[in-house]
């Protein structure tokens, strides 16, 4: 098999692997985004609310751990969860609210909301399918004023505590209430539509959100509990990413294919054997030695001295920026560098510029003086 055919085989294999990856990716069913999730850009998601608050000057975060940790947050949105809170988590949130923070709970499911609302003696009734425009007459939502609100898929709230403020009621049953808890405030709404991507764009919904966050200053930290929306956790390591995601598997199989290709072409491994022509090539140092021997045998000492004189002049010009044609070159160099002995440099220049025929020993001595001078002044 020739080299060209091997490369073609590799290219064809990689293209086939890419097509297979695309086919597999199209066959993998996509996991639908959960309603009321900040990652959902459909009409029932809350991505618009998340981004609106972020651009309004708040610091918005996603709570994605399995166990909610309020930390230093000023407010938390828990919107239509589809997972239960444990009693310990609900009590942890209650203690956090009592420290002076704001909890906003909205949804229609009594089954899941009951776990988070249990510490506050408030429950949600079963879902009633209504689609109505509610006019607010009680002056409780006034920062900014909320005159009317569009509601869909409404449940009702039931409670026994006496410190509850009813803000919105439908057919005599509470829909939006608030009550103090320690130094903090809890808002509960049995309808999630005003917070969704579609509902937040209707008149009254942004004003409602601002009323819920009236105790949170601009720059405050607001969290959305995404852990209760059943989001699939991301791979925790690079190895899991390679083995559990479509792009990772594509890269992994491409690496395996290239490795198999190299194994099949085993001649690429091991110490390369030089060709006979390559072994006959001379090293660069051999040419230098040959030229030196030729100059020595031919007695071209004057030419050699001229070569060194030119190299020394270039070094002086590059080092000190002086004109080599000046007769007082040594004095100029001494002016640039006080450590230079002008008389010593002048003697060296005279020796290099000598026009008499030098012996081999004299040439070697002059070159050694020049090298020592350059080394001492570099």
């Amino acid at each position: 098999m020739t080299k060209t055919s091997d490369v073609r085989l590799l290219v064809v294999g990689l293209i086939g692997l890419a097509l297979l990856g695309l086919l597999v990716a199209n066959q993998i069913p996509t996991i639908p985004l959960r309603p009321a999730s900040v990652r959902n850009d459909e009409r029932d998601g809350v991505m618009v609310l998340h981004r609106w608050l972020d651009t309004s000057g708040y610091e918005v975060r996603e709570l994605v751990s399995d166990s909610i940790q309020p930390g230093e947050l000023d407010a938390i949105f828990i919107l239509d969860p589809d997972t239960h809170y444990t009693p310990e988590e609900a009590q942890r949130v209650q203690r956090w609210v009592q420290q002076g923070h704001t909890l906003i709970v909205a949804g229609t499911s009594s089954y899941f909301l009951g776990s988070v609302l249990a510490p506050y003696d408030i429950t949600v009734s079963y879902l009633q399918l209504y689609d109505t425009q509610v006019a607010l007459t009680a002056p409780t939502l006034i920062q900014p004023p909320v005159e009317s609100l569009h509601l869909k898929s409404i449940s009702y709230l039931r409670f026994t505590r006496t410190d509850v403020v009813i803000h919105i009621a439908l057919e005599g049953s509470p829909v939006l209430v608030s009550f103090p808890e320690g130094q903090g405030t809890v808002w509960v709404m049995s309808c999630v539509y005003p917070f969704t991507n579609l509902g937040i764009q209707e008149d009254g919904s942004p004003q409602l959100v601002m009323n819920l966050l009236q105790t949170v200053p601009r720059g405050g930290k607001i969290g959305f509990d995404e852990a209760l929306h059943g989001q699939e956790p991301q791979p925790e390591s690079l190895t899991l990413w390679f083995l559990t995601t479509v792009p990772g598997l594509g890269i992994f199989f491409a690496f395996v294919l290239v490795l198999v290709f190299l194994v099949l072409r085993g001649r690429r491994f091991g110490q390369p054997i030089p060709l006979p022509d390559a072994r006959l090539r001379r090293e660069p140092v051999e040419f230098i030695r040959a030229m030196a021997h030729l100059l020595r045998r031919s007695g071209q000492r004057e030419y050699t001295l001229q070569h060194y004189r030119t190299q020394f002049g270039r070094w002086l010009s590059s080092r000190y920026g002086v004109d080599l044609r000046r007769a007082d070159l040594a004095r100029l160099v001494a002016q640039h560098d006080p450590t230079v002995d002008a008389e010593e440099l002048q003697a060296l220049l005279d020796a290099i510029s000598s026009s008499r025929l030098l012996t081999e020993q004299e040439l070697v001595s002059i070159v050694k003086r020049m090298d020592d001078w350059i080394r001492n002044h570099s």
Side-chain angles (χ1 to χ4, degrees):
M1 183 180 293
T2 64
K3 179 179 179 180
T4 303
S5 62
D6 287 344
V7 174
R8 287 179 179 177
L9 179 62
L10 178 62
V11 171
V12 171
L14 291 175
I15 293 176
L17 187 61
L19 295 176
L20 179 62
L22 291 175
L23 180 61
V24 172
N26 290 331
Q27 296 297 324
I28 295 179
T30 57
I31 301 176
L33 294 173
R34 310 297 296 183
S37 169
V38 298
R39 304 175 187 177
N40 188 346
D41 58 354
E42 301 294 335
R43 57 192 301 165
D44 57 351
V46 294
M47 180 181 290
V48 174
L49 174 61
H50 179 281
R51 294 185 177 179
W52 175 53
L53 293 176
D54 187 51
T55 56
S56 297
Y58 297 100
E59 183 178 342
V60 185
R61 301 179 180 179
E62 294 182 32
L63 305 178
V64 294
S65 63
D66 293 336
S67 180
I68 185 170
Q69 302 290 339
E72 299 179 353
L73 295 176
D74 298 302
I76 294 180
F77 280 90
I78 300 178
L79 303 178
D80 203 17
D82 54 9
T83 306
H84 278 286
Y85 270 90
T86 64
E88 293 77 12
E89 291 173 335
Q91 292 172 6
R92 186 185 307 134
V93 174
Q94 183 186 27
R95 290 192 297 269
W96 169 81
V97 175
Q98 292 171 348
Q99 295 171 2
H101 303 103
T102 301
L103 175 64
I104 302 170
V105 181
T108 56
S109 173
S110 60
Y111 184 69
F112 293 114
L113 285 181
S115 61
V116 66
L117 296 176
Y120 311 105
D121 296 327
I122 186 169
T123 59
V124 180
S125 67
Y126 291 102
L127 175 66
Q128 307 292 327
L129 296 177
Y130 288 134
D131 186 343
T132 183
Q133 191 80 15
V134 179
L136 278 72
T137 57
T140 57
L141 303 176
I142 58 174
Q143 297 181 355
V146 180
E147 298 180 356
S148 64
L149 194 64
H150 189 189
L151 302 179
K152 289 184 178 181
S153 302
I154 309 165
S155 295
Y156 296 118
L157 300 174
R158 303 177 185 275
F159 48 86
T160 58
R161 55 192 303 163
T162 59
D163 56 351
V164 175
V165 177
I166 301 175
H167 300 277
I168 300 176
L170 186 62
E171 297 181 355
S173 298
V175 175
L176 173 64
V177 301
S178 67
F179 50 88
E181 182 68 25
Q183 299 179 8
T185 305
V186 179
W187 293 82
V188 182
M189 188 171 187
S190 57
C191 174
V192 77
Y193 177 75
F195 305 99
T196 62
N197 296 332
L198 185 61
I200 195 65
Q201 303 180 54
E202 300 189 11
D203 187 36
S205 296
Q207 294 85 346
L208 172 65
V209 174
M210 288 295 97
N211 277 273
L212 302 184
L213 297 175
Q214 59 181 317
T215 60
V216 181
R218 293 300 173 94
K221 301 175 183 179
I222 300 176
F224 285 83
D225 190 3
E226 281 296 295
L228 296 189
H229 286 117
Q231 297 294 337
E232 181 180 357
Q234 298 296 325
E236 298 180 357
S237 66
L238 185 61
T239 303
L240 289 177
W241 183 83
F242 273 114
L243 298 179
T244 59
T245 64
V246 174
L249 287 173
I251 296 175
F252 175 75
F253 286 125
F255 173 77
V256 172
L257 181 60
V258 173
L259 182 62
V260 172
F261 168 76
L262 294 177
V263 170
L264 294 178
R265 299 191 66 194
R267 58 181 178 274
R268 287 181 176 268
F269 294 94
Q271 184 69 25
I273 300 176
L275 298 175
D277 295 341
R279 286 181 291 183
L280 296 177
R281 296 178 182 177
R282 296 181 179 274
E283 297 293 334
V285 67
E286 296 185 47
F287 293 97
I288 297 175
R289 291 175 180 174
M291 291 296 299
H293 286 307
L294 288 176
L295 291 174
R296 183 178 183 183
R297 292 178 59 185
S298 62
Q300 297 294 330
R301 291 185 288 276
E302 182 179 357
Y303 172 78
T304 304
L305 184 63
Q306 180 183 359
H307 168 74
Y308 281 107
R309 182 168 58 247
T310 302
Q311 296 299 321
F312 187 56
R314 290 178 179 175
W315 188 89
L316 290 176
S317 177
S318 174
R319 175 73 173 177
Y320 300 105
V322 295
D323 187 358
L324 300 178
R325 296 172 294 182
R326 295 285 297 270
D328 55 346
L329 178 61
R331 183 180 59 81
L332 291 176
V333 172
Q335 291 178 355
H336 283 80
D337 187 356
T339 62
V340 174
D341 188 345
E343 295 182 358
E344 178 186 3
L345 177 59
Q346 186 62 49
L348 179 58
L349 291 173
D350 293 340
I352 294 177
S353 304
S354 175
S355 59
R356 66 184 183 86
L357 185 61
L358 302 176
T359 64
E360 185 173 323
Q361 289 77 13
E362 291 175 332
L363 176 61
V364 173
S365 176
I366 292 173
V367 172
K368 184 177 183 303
R369 287 172 55 193
M370 184 189 70
D371 287 341
D372 292 340
W373 196 94
I374 292 176
R375 187 181 304 106
N376 294 333
H377 295 85
S378 297

